[in-house]
Amino acid sequence: MPADLSSDPSSGSASSAPQQPPLWRQLQLTAGALASIRAGTSGTVAFEAVEPALRPGVQALGFQVLRWLGRAEALRRHLAKRTPPPLPDALLCTALALAWHSDHAPYEPFTLVDQAVEAAKRNPATRAQASFINACLRRFLRERDELVAATDTEPVAQWNHPRWWIERLKRDHPRDWQRVLSADNAQAPMTLRVNALQSTPAAYLLELEAVGLGATRVGTDGLQLTRARPVQQLPGFADGACSVQDAAAQLAAPLLLDGLLPAKPGAAPLRVLDACAAPGGKTAHLVERAGADAIEVTALEVDGVRSRRIDETLARLGLKAKVVVADAGRPADWWDGVLFDAILLDAPCTASGIVRRHPDVRWLRRESDTAQLATQQATLLAALWPLVRPGGRLLYCTCSVFREEGSQQIDAFLVRNTDARLLPSPGHLLPQSGANARGVPDNPSGDHDGFFYALLEKPAPH
């Protein structure tokens, strides 16, 4: 899963931040990030390349550009007979994405056009295209209503997702596909998970209110902020009072642990595996939920750099787990032969359920990725299921709304594994909804990302 950018920088106007650089410079950097994303770089990496002082404003603009990129590209096709070179095209589409709808524009459309032309003139890589960009954008200002109307019938322009993505959602969620696409283009809320070993949601809500921050309860351990804030403004964040975690992701720990935790004090701690664990949010929630003495968590991560994020997360929260750098799909490399009471498999996926937080994902993914990732998910399930003790559980989850990575994956698994039983599970959770595929109500988790959950039990022999 991509790194969580829950504090969406576009939650405030890009023009409201103090000491902003000139708009033309922000547009240059935004276009540069867009060009990198189009070349295959993740949005996280593209925006991290911007110097820290300029990053918030550029990322705010960049998120808005990515949310309206389908419309911008459709407009560009009407304005230009040929696609310009990558960087001039990125600058042109940046301006069109920000200016096409005056109600959504962070600046007056005329100002955006003027500053985009200035950005083109001031960069040697785009200077030769400045007159072309100027002509396209001036025509756009003159004919904006007609041009927008001409693109209204194009699905990619209307929904700002690739055509294959739209068609897949229509097949997978015929009653909800439009709602999912609309949700993808909205800003995600900032949701906190209160550390149960330090406080309660009710008590931490009072701490937030004491410093002027509003929030509402979600789920069992969560609080959704009225408005996103830097984590440095959250009371006790540095000391582990809370973590940033979407409400749907907060369902993992209680789903896996509830009914499995030792009923008696002094009982042997649960032996739990968190496979594919970086950046460690679910690992930490497992320990917080169970209590340090009631659980022993092994957190696996194949990427050594990403595994350090798990260590950092645990250190801030004052928690302990065994962090191992290894491939979850190859147990022979790391497993000690002792069966686990519970396994959490948060499998690699398309991340199609977290597009609100990562608007680049829709443009980076290819249709063929879904089948490739589904094969990887099936491999992980097959490798980890034998490691579950009789009477134990495996929770399979993905931050995807595609059925090939969710319900279809589990249906196929159950056919192959007759020793597996599906327990009541949320199934497919769609963005901003509590709807699910299997008729089992989920916790009241408010506004959340798209996710899939299937809780599998290996029955004990009679």
Side-chain angles (χ1 to χ4, degrees):
M1 176 189 309
D4 189 6
L5 298 179
S6 297
S7 304
D8 188 337
S10 55
S11 58
S13 170
S15 61
S16 63
Q19 299 179 338
Q20 287 290 338
L23 179 56
W24 64 261
R25 178 59 178 153
Q26 294 184 72
L27 294 174
Q28 277 185 344
L29 294 169
T30 303
L34 175 59
S36 294
I37 291 167
R38 282 173 158 177
T41 302
S42 77
T44 301
V45 173
F47 291 118
E48 283 179 352
V50 178
E51 60 182 283
L54 305 184
R55 191 178 303 150
V58 171
Q59 192 169 316
L61 293 174
F63 271 42
Q64 185 162 344
V65 168
L66 291 164
R67 286 176 176 134
W68 300 111
L69 187 58
R71 178 73 69 168
E73 290 179 342
L75 290 168
R76 189 256 290 136
R77 286 193 292 272
H78 283 267
L79 292 166
K81 293 181 180 179
R82 296 181 180 178
T83 302
L87 192 56
D89 184 56
L91 180 57
L92 178 57
C93 287
T94 291
L96 291 169
L98 295 173
W100 81 274
H101 197 301
S102 56
D103 290 347
H104 300 307
Y107 301 90
E108 288 296 326
F110 179 85
T111 300
L112 286 164
V113 167
D114 179 73
Q115 290 294 289
V117 174
E118 186 70 15
K121 292 177 179 177
R122 287 177 177 260
N123 187 344
T126 55
R127 191 173 295 146
Q129 299 286 330
S131 295
F132 164 77
I133 291 173
N134 181 58
C136 288
L137 292 177
R138 299 297 171 186
R139 180 187 165 198
F140 165 74
L141 286 179
R142 294 193 305 271
E143 305 174 20
R144 182 172 59 174
D145 292 346
E146 294 86 348
L147 289 166
V148 170
T151 62
D152 275 342
T153 57
E154 301 179 33
V156 176
Q158 181 182 7
W159 297 109
N160 292 282
H161 287 69
R163 185 178 295 272
W164 70 264
W165 189 302
I166 298 170
E167 294 304 317
R168 182 177 288 268
L169 278 179
K170 285 182 179 179
R171 294 195 305 271
D172 284 359
H173 305 287
R175 291 182 297 180
D176 298 303
W177 66 273
Q178 292 176 312
R179 182 163 56 85
V180 172
L181 292 170
S182 295
D184 284 353
N185 290 324
Q187 292 172 203
M190 184 172 179
T191 305
L192 308 179
R193 185 190 76 244
V194 178
N195 185 346
L197 299 179
Q198 292 193 23
S199 186
T200 65
Y204 193 70
L205 180 60
L206 295 177
E207 292 189 50
L208 290 173
E209 292 174 347
V211 295
L213 301 181
T216 55
R217 291 283 301 272
V218 291
T220 56
D221 301 315
L223 293 169
Q224 183 178 306
L225 294 179
T226 304
R227 183 180 176 190
R229 288 288 191 275
V231 294
Q232 296 84 355
Q233 295 182 14
L234 302 176
F237 181 86
D239 298 319
C242 67
S243 299
V244 178
Q245 187 179 46
D246 182 76
Q250 291 187 36
L251 295 175
L255 276 169
L256 185 62
L257 296 179
D258 286 2
L260 196 62
L261 288 169
K264 298 179 181 179
L270 280 181
R271 180 176 159 86
V272 178
L273 172 68
D274 183 0
C276 315
K282 295 184 182 68
T283 300
H285 196 194
L286 288 167
V287 181
E288 293 170 5
R289 184 86 180 181
D293 296 331
I295 193 169
E296 293 178 352
V297 180
T298 298
L300 276 185
E301 174 55 46
V302 69
D303 186 322
V305 175
R306 282 174 53 81
S307 73
R308 290 200 288 270
R309 293 281 306 279
I310 306 174
D311 292 319
E312 293 167 359
T313 296
L314 294 172
R316 182 182 63 82
L317 294 166
L319 305 175
K320 291 183 179 180
K322 181 182 179 182
V323 180
V324 178
V325 179
D327 183 350
R330 301 180 59 177
D333 294 345
W334 54 266
W335 184 43
D336 62 6
V338 181
L339 296 175
F340 290 97
D341 298 298
I343 294 178
L344 169 60
L345 173 55
D346 185 2
C349 69
T350 58
S352 57
I354 57 172
V355 175
R356 300 187 302 169
R357 299 182 194 283
H358 300 274
D360 57 306
V361 165
R362 70 190 90 177
W363 309 116
L364 287 169
R365 287 296 181 203
R366 298 293 178 263
E367 187 171 12
S368 59
D369 292 345
T370 310
Q372 293 173 0
L373 285 160
T375 298
Q376 185 179 0
Q377 293 152 10
T379 298
L380 288 167
L381 277 166
L384 294 175
W385 182 244
L387 278 56
V388 179
R389 69 163 172 82
R393 299 173 176 177
L394 185 149
L395 179 63
Y396 171 82
C397 62
T398 62
C399 54
S400 174
V401 294
F402 297 150
R403 292 196 181 277
E404 190 170 358
E405 302 180 281
S407 57
Q408 292 174 9
Q409 180 72 259
I410 293 303
D411 288 344
F413 175 83
L414 291 170
V415 170
R416 294 191 300 266
N417 295 271
T418 56
D419 62 339
R421 183 166 70 99
L422 181 65
L423 297 179
S425 309
H428 282 281
L429 299 173
L430 302 181
Q432 293 186 331
S433 89
N436 62 79
R438 298 183 182 271
V440 179
D442 62 296
N443 291 334
S445 49
D447 190 347
H448 57 68
D449 292 339
F451 248 83
F452 174 82
Y453 283 108
L455 183 60
L456 303 162
E457 182 183 58
K458 183 178 289 185
H462 295 296

